[in-house]
Each structure stands twice: as C-alpha cells, then as structure tokens.
Amino acid sequence: MKVVIVGAVAGGVSAATRLSRLGPEHEIVVFERGSDVSYANCGLAYHVGGVIADRRDLLLQTPQSLRARFGLDVRVRTEVVAIDRQAQTVRVRDLDNAAEYDEPWDRLVLSPGAAPFAPDLPGIERAHTLRTVADADRLTALLTEQRPASAVVVGGGFIGLETAEKLHRRGLQVSVVELDNQVLAPIDPELAAVVHAELRRNGVRLVLGAGLTAVLPDAVELDDGQLLPADVVVLAVGVRPETGLARQAGLALGRRGGIAVDESMRTTDPRIYALGDAVEKTDRLDHGTIPVSLANTANRQGRLVADAIAGRPVKLTGRIGTAIVRVFDLTVAVTGWNEKRLRTAGRPCQPVHTHPTSHAGYYPGAVPMALKLLFDPQTGSILGAQGVGGEGVDKRVDVLATALYAGLSADDLADLELAYAPQYGSAKDPVNMLGYIAENIRTGTTRTVQWHEVADRVAAGVHLLDVRTAAEHAAGHIRGSLNVPVDELRERLDELPDGELIVYCQLGVRGHTAATLLIGTGRDAANLDGGYRTWSTATADC
C-alpha cells in the first residue's frame, strides 16, 4: 500500500514512523513545504530568547535520518497544491524549481497544521510570527543584527507571553497588547490577575482591552489612540487551521472551520485521513468541538491514523485542553473548562479556591500557589481546574487533569494516595484538600461565597466578619468588616451583628473553622472562598 502524508512536523511524522513500524512493506511518502521535517516548535521562543542557544537542538529528525531508520521517502520544500480524489493522486510542486508532478496514493493523510492569523492592517508586513524554524531564524537575525530596543507582542495567549518574556530576557523594552481585559483566556480573571502582576513586576508593559490598528515604522497604533514604541512587532493572536486542500477536494469541514473527522480520524472520504491542528476535536465535557493546537494531541492522532490504516480498531477520545506555560517566575496551568465558559453555557458549577504551598511548610523552600477547582455541585463531576504559582503547580494540575479524564468526582480527590515526603508535598496534598473542601460543600457542612459576589451581598445587608489577627486586619481588609480573631470568637459571639455573616480569613482555612462554629451556634454564616488573598488580588486588578 502506498501512503502519502501531506505535512510533517509532529503529527505527520508520528503517523509515518508508526505506520513504518506496523507495516514495513508500506511505501510511505511525506511531503513538507518547509525546510525542516521534524522540529520542536514549542521551543522556538526559547531559542529566540537564547535559552536554547543551539538551533540544531530544535531539529528532531531529518529526511536522511527518517529514511535510514524507517525507510521513509521525505521530500522537503515540496508543496501539495491539489488533491484528485477520483484519480487518487496529489499535485505536487517543487518549491525550489517550480516543477510540478502528480503522485499517486492508496491512502492519503492530511497534516497541514495551522497558520498564524495576521489581520489586514496597515504596515502588518513588518510584523513577525513565530510558528516555524524559519520564523525563529528571521526574528533571531533581526535581534542580533539590528539590536532593537523595544518590542510589542500583540496577543496575550500562551505563545504571546512566552515570546514577551524571552524578548525581555534579551534586554528589550516589551509591551503586550491584548484585546481582552485579561491575558491567558483559558484561566479565570482572579488567577489572570496574578499573571498581570508578575508581568508588571518584571517591567513588561501590559495594555489590556485595546486592539491593534496599524504597524508604523517604529511603533504600533492602538484603537484607543495609544502609540507604543516598537522596533520589533510580534503577532501572537491565534492560528487558523490550514484547510485549503481539504476544501478544494470537497471534504467536509466542522463547525469551527477545521477538517471534520470521525473517531478513527477519517474524513468524509474514507480513503483520506486528517490529523493535528487542521482538524476538529471533540470536547470531552460536552461532546461539542474544541480548538486544541497542542503537540501531544497531534502526536496521538498521528499514531491512531497509522493504526487505522494498518487495520487496527482505533478511537480518539474527547480532549480536555490541558495546557501549561511559564511566565517569568510563575507557572500557569489549566485543564477542562473555566468558570467563564461554564457560566456562559449555563452549566451549574461550584468553584473552590485554595492557596497551598508546593510542599510541607516546615521544610525549607516551600513556595505558594493558587489552585481553582470547578465541579458540578449536584453530581460532583470535575469540570475544570487552574493553577498559578511556583514549583508544584504542574503536578497538581496534571493530577486534576487525570481525575477529570477518568471521570472521578471532586469528592474522590480526598481519597487519592499521592506521593508524600516533606520536600515534595504535604500529608494533606493540595489536591486532597480540594477534595475535602468539595466534600464539605456537597454535604452541606459549609457554604461559600465567591470573591465577585461580596459587593452585592454586602449591599443587600450581609455583614462581613474578618477572623484574622488584628495585625492582619490592620494591614488590609474588606471595607466595613468587623474584626474578631477566630481564637477569640467563642468568647465574643455577643459582639456579632444580627443577620447573615460572610466570614473571611487570609486563605480560607480559618474562615472555614469560624463559619462552622457560627453555624453550630445557629447563625447563618458562609466562608469567603479563597479568603482575603483571592478577593484582594482579583479586585485590585479590576
């Protein structure tokens, strides 16, 4: 069988090498219009920033190495420009000499990826994107040869913030422009506020709620009239699936504009498969479609395509969108849906905020983090999670992503047996603590109020009770709150005002103790979820 694969890099090469291992008798041809067949595009920003000094470290395979090990016929600088489904051929153009020819196939695999989106604006041709090794080469050459002083990164997503940090590392004055009112859209605003503070602390200018209108010779113009100095402009405003070949061939597209595929990665032509950033993915939570442009998904799909062509039964399960990025000294990770999306969809959700440390507090070097869990208050189903902080965020969100994928309930988190030693975690791991809190809420042991609900509740006549120490209260508190430290609460119950109380401490732990005490005495009390830290961080950024 002759298999032609259009596009290499992650998914295409994974399909080709897997198929070669399953069936050495197959003739496999891979067409790649770029100069590099397999490279770590997730490392491009780190090469530009000098963290990965040697460009060759990004190159994972070459046409020669793939031929030697797997017997693959890999042709770079070669673009497939058309598909003839009836003749079962592709029209191929050699980009070095413009010669064209037809290549036959028995099975065709489309792995064209996605292209960076570039708005049609004056001067946009001066802007750079960072998607390929060639993009990184151009940007690195500019930084080395012209030694620019200022840069504007348009887009505050994962790639935009990685690029901004690396340009800052090279000594440029960096501004990040984001059309939304926060960076990193997959996380909720109270956690994004922590990222905003980190960017500003490191000298990155953050311009939110503004759009790009023009790229000038040495600046950019925004829709609010601002001019920002910009010797370098980098666009990181998202990608669009490369579907031109599929459309031309009459293959169906999905609701989000990607190539429609079934569970075995077949298109609407059963002889043609598609994978990677160009295809629609199924959302595990609602079985709709989800935009996931991640290397692990592309690699997984490549393996499944090879298995399907080899005649093995395959089924791609739904995606949950787990992702991570480092922003200076912060790690930011997310899985599943965020609260904004759940509320918009009308799905009931219960948030839980905690502020644990990376490992046992008595062991040196513990650093703080903020975790947010979202679950269905009726069923306990985990719907999403987010984490922002230092060391340890990654493994907690990975555990929560695994729990979400496996269908565990929020209560089940309390029973997980996670590796513990003082230098790695706590006897009650932060993930376990999320389970304990979820269990308390679902059993009615405690009731919580969210940071964004406080103002309206106070306006409706609810009283605020700060149960931290007098010193903590004096250092900062929610306006109008009464301060009665939790250790004095039993003796001072008669000082509390009548009516409903919202109790808060710094992180939520003492508040929980105080709220349950008050409920035990017959009072109507709720704990401020995440405590003063969540409230103050979120409201300071508003």
Side-chain angles (χ1 to χ4, degrees):
M1 181 187 297
K2 183 172 183 177
V3 180
V4 167
I5 299 175
V6 181
V9 192
V13 171
S14 291
T17 54
R18 170 72 169 174
L19 187 58
S20 172
R21 289 190 292 268
L22 293 177
E25 73 279 4
H26 296 314
E27 180 185 356
I28 304 170
V29 181
V30 181
F31 292 111
E32 170 55 48
R33 66 185 174 191
S35 300
D36 303 292
V37 63
S38 179
Y39 57 88
N41 54 4
C42 296
L44 295 177
Y46 298 89
H47 173 57
V48 169
V51 177
I52 300 172
D54 192 336
R55 175 188 185 276
R56 291 172 297 183
D57 290 340
L58 298 173
L59 306 179
L60 307 178
Q61 295 282 359
T62 66
Q64 294 76 24
S65 67
L66 290 169
R67 177 177 286 279
R69 181 167 297 180
F70 300 102
L72 304 179
D73 180 359
V74 180
R75 307 176 198 177
V76 297
R77 298 282 301 154
T78 307
E79 182 177 13
V80 173
V81 295
I83 299 169
D84 187 329
R85 290 167 55 189
Q86 184 173 359
Q88 289 191 211
T89 61
V90 290
R91 187 70 175 170
V92 182
R93 178 181 299 144
D94 187 320
L95 297 179
D96 291 326
N97 58 30
E100 294 190 1
Y101 59 92
D102 291 326
E103 188 79 23
W105 50 267
D106 297 309
R107 294 292 183 270
L108 180 64
V109 179
L110 301 180
S111 179
F117 174 68
D120 184 14
L121 296 173
I124 200 69
E125 63 278 0
R126 190 168 78 82
H128 292 258
T129 57
L130 194 54
R131 183 74 177 174
T132 66
V133 174
D135 292 339
D137 289 342
R138 285 189 289 269
L139 186 52
T140 301
L142 184 152
L143 295 172
T144 302
E145 297 166 8
Q146 299 185 22
R147 298 189 179 279
S150 60
V152 168
V153 177
V154 184
F158 287 76
I159 301 300
L161 294 193
E162 283 183 333
T163 304
E165 179 187 344
K166 300 308 174 286
L167 293 174
H168 177 275
R169 186 179 186 273
R170 294 197 54 149
L172 279 73
Q173 176 191 342
V174 180
S175 300
V176 173
V177 176
E178 170 54 52
L179 187 60
D180 199 358
N181 59 6
Q182 68 164 77
V183 300
L184 299 177
I187 66 175
D188 286 311
E190 68 273 27
L191 272 72
V194 182
V195 184
H196 296 169
E198 180 72 1
L199 289 165
R200 291 167 177 143
R201 184 179 71 83
N202 283 278
V204 173
R205 181 175 183 179
L206 190 57
V207 183
L208 301 173
L212 182 70
T213 57
V215 178
L216 308 177
D218 59 357
V220 297
E221 181 180 56
L222 306 183
D223 57 11
D224 61 2
Q226 290 189 74
L227 291 177
L228 302 178
D231 298 327
V232 179
V233 180
V234 178
L235 293 178
V237 291
V239 296
R240 288 181 173 176
E242 293 265 27
T243 58
L245 277 175
R247 288 199 310 272
Q248 171 268 329
L251 301 176
L253 302 183
R255 184 171 63 87
R256 291 183 177 270
I259 303 170
V261 293
D262 64 14
E263 293 176 335
S264 60
M265 310 310 299
R266 285 185 175 88
T267 68
T268 44
D269 185 326
R271 303 164 299 174
I272 301 177
Y273 298 77
L275 58 90
D277 293 353
V279 307
E280 300 276 86
K281 287 89 175 175
T282 300
D283 190 311
R284 192 169 181 85
L285 288 175
D286 72 348
H287 308 293
T289 55
I290 181 174
V292 175
S293 298
L294 296 171
N296 58 0
T297 293
N299 280 307
R300 176 60 176 154
Q301 290 178 330
R303 180 183 177 91
L304 292 179
V305 164
D307 284 4
I309 292 173
R312 297 187 172 198
V314 300
K315 179 180 179 181
L316 181 68
T317 57
R319 304 288 90 187
I320 58 176
T322 305
I324 192 168
V325 67
R326 189 168 185 87
V327 182
F328 292 102
D329 292 332
L330 286 181
T331 296
V332 184
V334 61
T335 189
W337 288 24
N338 60 26
E339 187 176 356
K340 294 175 294 185
R341 185 177 176 190
L342 290 165
R343 300 291 185 197
T344 300
R347 295 192 65 164
C349 69
Q350 174 66 55
V352 169
H353 297 80
T354 61
H355 298 275
T357 54
S358 54
H359 57 250
Y362 59 81
Y363 190 89
V367 293
M369 68 180 79
L371 295 178
K372 180 175 183 178
L373 176 70
L374 294 153
F375 63 92
D376 186 307
Q378 277 78 48
T379 66
S381 299
I382 299 171
L383 304 174
Q386 302 158 41
V388 177
E391 174 187 317
V393 167
D394 55 341
K395 74 173 183 177
R396 271 63 187 221
V397 172
D398 278 345
V399 170
L400 293 167
T402 304
L404 192 164
Y405 182 88
L408 300 184
S409 73
D411 301 29
D412 290 332
L413 299 176
D415 284 327
L416 294 182
E417 295 182 70
L418 303 175
Y420 162 61
Q423 61 270 54
Y424 297 109
S426 302
K428 294 179 182 178
D429 190 86
V431 172
N432 298 137
M433 289 302 300
L434 290 171
Y436 293 141
I437 297 169
E439 183 182 56
N440 282 336
I441 292 172
R442 286 188 11 92
T443 58
T445 302
T446 191
R447 185 164 54 88
T448 59
V449 171
Q450 297 303 308
W451 66 270
H452 54 82
E453 298 172 331
V454 170
D456 288 343
R457 300 292 292 276
V458 170
V462 177
H463 301 285
L464 291 169
L465 176 61
D466 181 352
V467 296
R468 299 173 299 163
T469 66
E472 288 175 294
H473 181 81
H477 58 269
I478 305 175
R479 186 176 179 180
S481 57
L482 172 67
N483 179 218
V484 179
V486 63
D487 292 337
E488 302 173 16
L489 189 56
R490 292 178 186 274
E491 289 72 37
R492 297 176 59 182
L493 291 174
D494 57 350
E495 298 179 27
L496 304 182
D498 295 333
E500 185 180 352
L501 295 167
I502 295 175
V503 182
Y504 72 92
C505 64
Q506 189 67 13
L507 305 179
V509 179
R510 288 172 289 172
H512 168 66
T513 298
T516 54
L517 168 62
L518 291 169
I519 292 169
T521 65
R523 297 299 305 267
D524 185 0
N527 187 23
L528 176 58
D529 184 41
Y532 181 74
R533 181 172 295 176
T534 296
W535 179 89
S536 60
T537 301
T539 56
D541 201 56
C542 293

